[in-house]
Amino acid sequence: MTAALIAQRDTIYVLAFLGLFAWVFGIDPPALMRLLIVAFAALALAASAALRGHKIRTVKIPRQPYDTAA
């Protein structure tokens, strides 16, 4: 579940960044979209603070000794 939350946090980061980037460079969104952009940015920061210590852990598959005789 932690991996899914981290992936969702990254998706929210991208959406908030693209919205803020467009807003800064002259695309003037309606008031509701401005609120959504600010809410996404705040949600991404809150999720980042909550998930700060967690990382996606990969499973290490042990190497099979195929080169040794049976």
Side-chain angles (χ1 to χ4, degrees):
M1 175 148 171
T2 304
L5 289 173
I6 291 172
Q8 189 64 35
R9 178 198 64 188
D10 294 342
T11 303
I12 292 172
Y13 266 139
V14 169
L15 289 175
F17 176 75
L18 289 176
L20 289 172
F21 189 71
W23 194 0
V24 166
F25 283 101
I27 297 174
D28 194 23
L32 181 62
M33 290 182 90
R34 289 180 199 164
L35 290 174
L36 285 175
I37 290 170
V38 171
F40 275 162
L43 186 64
L45 289 174
S48 179
L51 296 172
R52 184 162 308 236
H54 298 283
K55 294 181 182 176
I56 296 176
R57 291 179 178 84
T58 57
V59 176
K60 187 171 183 174
I61 299 172
R63 184 179 171 278
Q64 298 293 329
Y66 292 115
D67 56 345
T68 58

